[in-house]
Amino acid sequence: KLPIHWMWWPAIGGLFVGLGGLIFPQALGVGYETIGTLLQGNATSALIAGVLLVKSTIWILSLGSGTSGGVLAPLLMMGAALGGVEATFLPAIGAGFWPLISMGAILAGTMRTPFTGILFAFELTHDMNVMLPLLVAGAIAYATTVLTLKRSILTEKIARRGFHLSREYSIDPLEILFASEVMRTEVNVLAAGSMVGDFPDDTKPRGQRLFPVTDGAGRLSGVVTRRHLRTLTEAGETRLLIGEIAKEPVVAFEKEPLRVVASRMAQSGLTVLPVVEAGTRKFTGMISLRDLLRARAHNHREEHHRERVLPAA
């Protein structure tokens, strides 16, 4: 559930879009007429400046506000306008040449779809002479964004919500599985208000060495080890509250990919982490290094099963 103040962001984004439309009406809508004017080489300096300044600003604010705005048409318009600027100082090859090349490069690099950008731009002119310049510009733009940015504009918003989209031929199961899918929920939980003497040494499960400590609302307040409890019991410190001896935990969140959990284990040197809900810190389970290995082993068995050759009937 999003915080209340986040709900105002789309309205603020819409306000800026409306203000931009009042300043530069051509910035609103799909803008195919504006794109056509730019490609024909008939665009004025005011039109080019309006697209680059107003259109790009309201597009950025619209996407940043959390709304699901369009990507294709704005990129076409801004790419063509950028080409109009380039045409003022680059060699004059033909009307609309640089806007077309720039438009194809913007699509190829920003969306990381080089062939789509090249073919889309070629389809507008059906001129085979621009194919080679489009290939060069598209390849350079694509290589630049791949080397400088982790994700494309199409996957960045999804990635920020915790869902990683792999582009590799071999997908790492730690990238596509979440902590909530492999965590153990049958865990012995200790109440922060209980005392050390209330904890019997034969508590099940016997293999559990780390115990989460929760408050009355089920929120994680700390962790304590079986060895620590045993040491205090042998020393006669049975009247101590569990919440007073619990240590600050390193946690994993339910919707985190296992890759992030594994990285946190490597950084902290811990092999068992309590799993909590993001925001509320409500305890939901435990995840260990063994659980991560079991997830990878399960994925390996599935891959091996798919690769087997079916026997002839």
Side-chain angles (χ1 to χ4, degrees):
K1 185 178 180 180
L2 294 177
I4 298 297
H5 66 277
W6 285 15
M7 299 180 182
W8 289 100
W9 285 114
I12 296 174
L15 176 63
F16 279 103
V17 171
L19 293 175
L22 290 176
I23 299 172
F24 185 69
Q26 293 93 325
L28 300 179
V30 179
Y32 287 150
E33 293 183 1
T34 302
I35 295 172
T37 302
L38 290 166
L39 291 178
Q40 292 170 5
N42 300 325
T44 62
S45 299
L47 178 63
I48 295 175
V51 172
L52 291 178
L53 297 178
V54 180
K55 178 65 176 180
S56 59
T57 300
I58 65 175
W59 180 64
I60 292 172
L61 292 174
S62 176
L63 290 181
S65 66
T67 58
S68 298
V71 174
L72 179 61
L75 288 177
L76 292 175
M77 187 184 298
M78 291 183 290
L82 183 61
V85 175
E86 296 167 352
T88 60
F89 59 87
L90 292 176
I93 298 179
F97 175 81
W98 291 113
L100 179 67
I101 298 301
S102 181
M103 187 175 63
I106 286 287
L107 284 180
T110 308
M111 299 178 66
R112 293 195 183 177
T113 53
F115 290 108
T116 299
I118 294 168
L119 293 178
F120 195 95
F122 172 73
E123 187 180 7
L124 295 177
T125 61
H126 297 282
D127 185 2
M128 287 297 298
N129 294 324
V130 300
M131 181 60 72
L132 181 59
L134 280 173
L135 287 170
V136 174
I140 294 175
Y142 176 73
T144 301
T145 56
V146 167
L147 294 175
T148 57
L149 300 175
K150 288 184 177 181
R151 305 175 185 90
S152 73
I153 194 173
L154 300 178
T155 59
E156 178 63 31
K157 183 181 292 187
I158 299 176
R160 291 186 181 184
R161 294 179 179 177
F163 298 95
H164 176 74
L165 299 181
S166 298
R167 298 174 63 91
E168 296 82 6
Y169 291 105
S170 176
I171 300 177
D172 189 346
L174 300 185
E175 291 280 8
I176 59 177
L177 293 178
F178 300 99
S180 58
E181 298 181 65
V182 301
M183 68 181 184
R184 290 174 284 110
T185 56
E186 296 181 359
V187 179
N188 196 320
V189 181
L190 304 182
S194 62
M195 293 184 293
V196 174
D198 298 333
F199 174 79
D201 191 49
D202 59 349
T203 301
K204 304 296 184 181
R206 291 289 298 175
Q208 183 178 344
R209 298 181 180 179
L210 185 71
F211 295 90
V213 180
T214 60
D215 58 15
R219 294 187 295 266
L220 183 71
S221 57
V223 292
V224 63
T225 63
R226 183 187 292 269
R227 177 181 295 180
H228 191 193
L229 291 172
R230 184 181 300 165
T231 301
L232 291 174
T233 301
E234 294 174 352
E237 303 288 347
T238 57
R239 304 293 295 177
L240 290 176
L241 294 178
I242 297 293
E244 295 178 353
I245 65 171
K247 297 182 179 180
E248 184 67 24
V250 178
V251 302
F253 298 100
E254 283 186 322
K255 298 304 179 182
E256 279 186 326
L258 297 185
R259 176 186 57 81
V260 177
V261 178
S263 177
R264 189 167 299 133
M265 286 182 178
Q267 293 174 357
S268 63
L270 303 174
T271 57
V272 182
L273 301 180
V275 182
V276 298
E277 293 180 353
T280 64
R281 287 185 67 86
K282 183 178 180 181
F283 174 77
T284 56
M286 299 284 285
I287 188 170
S288 66
L289 183 59
R290 180 178 297 180
D291 297 321
L292 301 183
L293 296 177
R294 188 168 61 248
R296 181 176 286 277
H298 177 71
N299 179 265
H300 177 74
R301 287 193 299 269
E302 288 187 342
E303 291 292 333
H304 179 71
H305 177 74
R306 284 194 292 265
E307 294 173 357
R308 286 188 304 176
V309 179
L310 296 178

